[in-house]
Amino acid sequence: MGRELKNIMTLYYLIKLDKKIPTDNKKNKARQDRKVHKIMQKAYTIPFYRERFEQEGLTPEDFHSAEDLGKFPITTRADLRSWMDDVFRNHQDQSKHWEIFKTSGSSGIPLRFMVTHREAACVNANWIRVTMFGGYHPFRGKMLSFLTTHSKVDPEKGDSWVQKLGILRRKIVPEHLYVGEGMRDLIELVNDYKPDMLCFRKNVLLRMATYAKQHDMEIFQPKLYTPVSEMVDDLTRKIFLETYGPGLLDAYGCNETGSAAVRLPGSDVFYVNSDTHVINLVDEEGNLSNSGRVIATTLYKFDFPIINYEVGDRAESVTRDGIRYITRIIGRTNDMVKHANGTETSAIEIMKMPNGITGILQFRYIQESYDKITIMLVKDPAPDTASKEEIEAFYHKKFLELFGYDEFQLNFIWLDEIPPDENGKMRCFICKIKE
């Protein structure tokens, strides 16, 4: 499929998808349930999923709602990798119909997976309408985005004739070039371009905000801005609202599923894109719950469907007229502080600590060993915040309260900024203890 045909397909799917969040939950729920049955009918024809149906003694007739997916086996990252590798190995003759994607590997071993050109067009349309939920107009608006969002775009090329007419305007930034003092250039670029929408990784937005505060600079506040690829913690959210204004569009998903949910500016919940996705949560026993592990299903991928996929996050939710809303995305399930006695504590507990004191702009924890944790911090230069000494004392007190005794030697490193990982992301917790 050429670019022109793919663009036509993207426009076709964009026309079909919701451009505003539906207000009739009962009608929305009925549509989602119909799509669940349809995707399970398709999955039954795919050997990878057919085997799972047969193992559980199920057929597509057992699936007529999002809740019915609780009967179906969970698909792990390892399961998906095995299936994708098998298809790639045995069906090379079909590769001209695929687009190959790879995850960054920030949560473990990188994953290679395929989508057909039709699915890729729907992924693009889904992302466009997510921005439209927030009020962005894709044809009249002006977007500033980082390079990997549009990996096939040449950032050195000037505006096309269409963009010169004021249509589909966007500037693509190779964000890896803007580090250290390069942050000033990036801020000046944002201020000069004045985008309607700013679409950077969370850590880039945070480093920009940190640099601006340290150097007494102002950053243009776009109508919308969205942190890509990384979860926004409470401390970062507060900094973003202070720096970039109220237009925070918080999209949730992963490379494998596309954008599955979105929290609009001013909203306290994530709306699940129920015409394209189901998000269920399961507890430790694997039962459907309002709090637990995130299990996602795509309703638009009929060639390589993703069904009951364990994303690797934990979340909390409420259900209104059968439609699930995510109230809180807690974070990665595999980020665990490890103890010498073999037990583990969720890293979420230490990630919440910066909310209890002023003076911290950025943080990262590195568990070096069973008895040592390095805490990397960036100081807020504002005069009415806690000092470095007070922050370190605060951490010692909180670690003592959490673990009950001085289990860890805390090593503090103060930086002007915390650099991203090699893959461009920035994990807030890293454990170096080998399994």
Side-chain angles (χ1 to χ4, degrees):
M1 181 187 292
R3 174 169 291 184
E4 293 79 10
L5 183 54
K6 183 176 177 180
N7 289 341
I8 292 172
M9 288 293 293
T10 298
L11 180 60
Y12 168 75
Y13 284 115
L14 182 59
I15 291 171
K16 293 184 66 175
L17 293 174
D18 297 329
K19 266 72 72 181
K20 294 184 178 180
I21 293 178
T23 56
D24 188 339
N25 276 352
K26 291 184 178 179
K27 183 178 179 180
N28 199 18
K29 169 65 172 168
R31 178 183 60 178
Q32 185 187 53
D33 289 346
R34 288 195 301 270
K35 290 193 171 190
V36 167
H37 181 60
K38 188 176 180 181
I39 199 69
M40 295 308 276
Q41 287 179 311
K42 175 60 180 177
Y44 198 65
T45 68
I46 298 172
F48 171 76
Y49 287 115
R50 179 67 172 263
E51 182 178 352
R52 291 169 164 248
F53 276 101
E54 293 176 348
Q55 284 175 350
E56 301 297 323
L58 299 167
T59 73
E61 289 307 311
D62 292 299
F63 299 92
H64 289 274
S65 71
E67 292 76 21
D68 286 342
L69 289 170
K71 309 171 190 175
F72 202 71
I74 288 173
T75 302
T76 66
R77 192 180 183 88
D79 295 330
L80 185 59
R81 180 182 296 109
S82 176
W83 175 35
M84 292 288 102
D85 286 350
D86 181 65
V87 172
F88 193 83
R89 183 170 52 250
N90 296 319
H91 300 279
Q92 281 288 322
D93 57 319
Q94 298 295 313
S95 60
K96 64 182 179 181
H97 302 298
W98 302 337
E99 292 189 25
I100 311 297
F101 291 89
K102 292 183 180 180
T103 65
S104 65
S106 61
S107 59
I109 302 173
L111 169 69
R112 176 183 62 183
F113 66 98
M114 289 79 76
V115 299
T116 59
H117 299 307
R118 184 201 68 80
E119 291 176 338
C122 197
V123 169
N124 291 344
N126 179 43
W127 171 243
I128 292 170
R129 69 79 176 264
V130 165
T131 68
M132 294 175 73
F133 281 162
Y136 179 71
H137 197 292
F139 297 101
R140 295 196 302 267
K142 189 165 61 169
M143 180 184 292
L144 183 61
S145 176
F146 71 100
L147 179 59
T148 47
T149 304
H150 309 281
S151 57
K152 296 180 181 179
V153 175
D154 183 353
E156 298 301 321
K157 287 185 177 180
D159 289 344
S160 67
W161 67 268
V162 172
Q163 291 172 320
K164 289 177 181 177
L165 291 175
I167 303 172
L168 297 171
R169 292 173 296 169
R170 68 184 184 197
K171 183 180 286 291
I172 310 303
V173 176
E175 62 178 13
H176 64 279
L177 299 179
Y178 297 99
V179 296
E181 287 302 310
M183 278 291 115
R184 178 179 292 275
D185 296 331
L186 185 56
I187 292 170
E188 291 177 352
L189 173 62
V190 171
N191 291 343
D192 290 341
Y193 192 66
K194 294 182 172 55
D196 298 296
M197 184 163 185
L198 186 58
C199 182
F200 285 169
R201 293 186 194 272
K202 182 201 81 172
N203 79 79
V204 176
L205 289 171
L206 183 55
R207 287 187 287 125
M208 285 173 60
T210 300
Y211 188 94
K213 197 160 190 176
Q214 291 170 337
H215 295 82
D216 197 26
M217 297 179 69
E218 295 290 331
I219 300 180
F220 173 78
Q221 294 189 348
K223 179 178 181 179
L224 289 174
Y225 56 98
T226 182
V228 179
S229 301
E230 299 165 290
M231 189 185 78
V232 178
D233 56 85
D234 292 339
L235 175 64
T236 302
R237 182 178 179 82
K238 180 175 180 292
I239 293 170
F240 283 173
L241 293 173
E242 291 173 350
T243 305
Y244 301 102
L248 174 57
L249 182 76
D250 205 351
Y252 175 73
C254 62
N255 287 332
E256 301 91 300
T257 66
S259 295
V262 59
R263 179 166 57 188
L264 299 183
S267 175
D268 59 353
V269 297
F270 285 83
Y271 166 75
V272 176
N273 300 329
S274 55
D275 55 346
T276 55
H277 293 80
V278 171
I279 289 183
N280 283 324
L281 305 182
V282 299
D283 60 22
E284 295 308 316
E285 286 71 45
N287 300 315
L288 293 183
S289 172
N290 283 326
S291 177
R293 290 149 39 217
V294 176
I295 308 297
T297 296
T298 56
L299 300 177
Y300 66 90
K301 287 168 60 68
F302 287 89
D303 304 290
F304 295 110
I306 304 293
I307 298 173
N308 271 15
Y309 182 60
E310 182 153 11
V311 175
D313 292 325
R314 299 184 66 85
E316 296 171 352
S317 69
V318 296
T319 302
R320 301 169 182 167
D321 296 325
I323 292 292
R324 186 183 302 277
Y325 294 82
I326 306 299
T327 56
R328 184 183 176 213
I329 296 171
I330 301 173
R332 305 298 299 181
T333 57
N334 58 352
D335 285 341
M336 306 296 289
V337 179
K338 301 184 183 298
H339 305 283
N341 63 5
T343 62
E344 297 177 336
T345 300
S346 172
I348 294 165
E349 296 303 320
I350 62 175
M351 290 181 188
K352 293 188 296 187
M353 289 181 180
N355 296 327
I357 192 169
T358 62
I360 299 174
L361 285 181
Q362 262 186 293
F363 66 89
R364 170 183 270 178
Y365 303 97
I366 302 175
Q367 184 173 8
E368 310 283 358
S369 64
Y370 285 118
D371 59 1
K372 182 179 180 180
I373 291 180
T374 294
I375 304 177
M376 303 171 73
L377 297 166
V378 175
K379 180 73 174 66
D380 187 336
D384 57 345
T385 59
S387 66
K388 291 181 179 180
E389 292 76 17
E390 289 171 330
I391 291 171
E392 292 184 9
F394 169 83
Y395 265 111
H396 283 293
K397 177 174 179 289
K398 286 298 181 181
F399 266 78
L400 184 61
E401 291 175 356
L402 179 60
F403 299 113
Y405 61 101
D406 289 323
E407 179 178 0
F408 298 105
Q409 173 191 342
L410 303 183
N411 175 40
F412 295 93
I413 299 177
W414 291 91
L415 301 168
D416 290 333
E417 71 170 32
I418 298 175
D421 303 324
E422 291 183 1
N423 59 21
K425 297 184 179 182
M426 192 186 80
R427 297 184 65 185
C428 293
F429 176 80
I430 297 171
C431 182
K432 292 186 175 181
I433 297 175
K434 303 296 182 181
E435 295 294 339

